[in-house]
Amino acid sequence: VQLQASGGGLVQAGGSLSLSCTASGSIFKIHDAGWYRQAPGKERQWVALISSIGVTHYVDSAKGRFTISRDDAKHTLSLEMNSLKLEDTAHYYCNAVVQDPATMLSREYWGQGTLVTVSS
């Protein structure tokens, strides 16, 4: 299974950006999924999480500005980011717990990261 993230780029403060993450490979079901970010010199932190039934959670700094969603038919995870701030600058990583159809076992996967840069 591979997670391919895309959509990062350069945006001015106050602007918007959409991230997408597509899972490919042998997939029976995608369980919990989410977006994390890592700013330079800082530890990776979770930003938004979505359960298999669509329950969402956001880090306080993202509440009201970011929206996480999923399309299980397309194995896609999205993050809509609005009112971006300088402190949102980071590499963003998608994460998903994927169940294998052959073994029915689940494991965690990470995407390769996509860079979001917010400028003043």
Side-chain angles (χ1 to χ4, degrees):
V1 173
Q2 288 188 326
L3 301 184
Q4 182 69 43
S6 62
L10 176 64
V11 62
Q12 286 193 323
S16 299
L17 209 57
S18 294
L19 304 182
S20 182
C21 177
T22 301
S24 61
S26 296
I27 300 169
F28 175 75
K29 182 178 181 179
I30 298 176
H31 295 278
D32 293 349
W35 289 93
Y36 292 69
R37 67 186 177 189
Q38 187 168 17
K42 295 188 176 181
E43 293 187 351
R44 189 175 297 186
Q45 68 165 168
W46 73 277
V47 177
L49 305 173
I50 186 167
S51 74
S52 59
I53 59 172
V55 177
T56 58
H57 299 278
Y58 298 92
V59 67
D60 285 347
S61 61
K63 288 179 181 177
R65 301 189 300 124
F66 293 6
T67 302
I68 188 172
S69 61
R70 60 191 290 164
D71 184 336
D72 288 334
K74 297 181 180 179
H75 294 158
T76 299
L77 179 72
S78 300
L79 185 68
E80 180 74 26
M81 303 184 293
N82 298 311
S83 303
L84 283 162
K85 304 177 180 180
L86 297 180
E87 52 264 40
D88 293 320
T89 294
H91 280 92
Y92 284 71
Y93 299 86
C94 54
N95 171 279
V97 176
V98 181
Q99 190 171 14
D100 182 271
T103 64
M104 298 306 283
L105 296 176
S106 298
R107 61 158 287 187
E108 186 179 36
Y109 293 89
W110 289 91
Q112 85 286 6
T114 184
L115 178 62
V116 172
T117 304
V118 183
S119 65
S120 58

